[in-house]
Amino acid sequence: WSSDVCSSDLMFGEFVFLPVYFQIVLGQTPAESGAMMVPQVVSATAASFISGRCMTSMARSRSILLVAVSSNVLAFVVLAAVAWLQLGALPVALTVIVLGAGMGTTMPAMTVMVQNTVDQHQLGAATALLSFCRSLGAASGVALAGGIAGHWIHRVADVSDISALPPELVLAYRFGVGAILAASALMMFVSLLLVSRLPKGSSMAGSWAGHHK
């Protein structure tokens, strides 16, 4: 449960504030910033299907989860560096593909592992509790991400016209989003530590599987 909360904590903050970075720092239009998020969504969808097949055939959920969370940590570190150094849109587009693949693998793998730790009659309650923890992590993560970004811009006057943003406000958003991504990398690293402590035998063969034999 703790690993899932950490994984979703600032992950959803990235969904909210990365398009803001595209528009304010990189000067993209709302349509262009939305298009920049498409590779992440596509890779997450593809990874969820592929990882599901791999977990079914390999029966090694823990190993797959470790790889997925590790890729998330790496992707957030790279995104933070790209934001701070303002390296442009192409490195971001390539990195979010890796991040999407990690996200698309992490969520289903965690769901399977949680379901495999309970009896069959507790599946509904366990899945609902996991969804609640995930939603709680997402809500707190977006709030925390907003607080981090606000820390960088609270002394700068609000400007409604994006085309007229002063350079200091653009700089504040640039470092603010970079700080969000760095915090996301840290939270994902905590999730990686928690996953690494799972029993090595964790797999698709859950405790309730025997009921179907």
Side-chain angles (χ1 to χ4, degrees), residues 21 24-26 86 153 156 162 165-176:
Y21 172 84
I24 294 181
V25 179
L26 300 184
Q86 198 175 352
I153 63 175
V156 182
I162 292 182
L165 287 178
E168 57 270 20
L169 184 54
V170 174
L171 184 65
Y173 267 104
R174 171 183 159 192
F175 284 100

Side-chain angles (χ1 to χ4, degrees), residues 8-23:
S8 59
D9 199 353
L10 283 166
M11 185 183 296
F12 289 91
E14 174 258 344
F15 278 120
V16 174
F17 289 94
L18 200 56
V20 177
Y21 172 84
F22 293 148
Q23 294 181 55

Side-chain angles (χ1 to χ4, degrees), residues 20-61:
V20 177
Y21 172 84
F22 293 148
Q23 294 181 55
I24 294 181
V25 179
L26 300 184
Q28 295 182 342
T29 64
E32 291 172 340
S33 66
M36 287 288 292
M37 303 299 294
V38 171
Q40 180 176 348
V41 176
V42 173
S43 64
T45 304
S48 64
F49 282 104
I50 296 173
S51 63
R53 295 296 298 270
C54 290
M55 284 187 291
T56 302
S57 60
M58 297 172 57
R60 294 178 63 90
S61 301

Side-chain angles (χ1 to χ4, degrees), residues 44-80:
T45 304
S48 64
F49 282 104
I50 296 173
S51 63
R53 295 296 298 270
C54 290
M55 284 187 291
T56 302
S57 60
M58 297 172 57
R60 294 178 63 90
S61 301
R62 178 181 179 274
S63 300
I64 295 174
L65 188 57
L66 281 172
V67 173
V69 178
S70 298
S71 67
N72 286 339
V73 174
L74 178 61
F76 275 123
V77 170
V78 173
L79 283 176

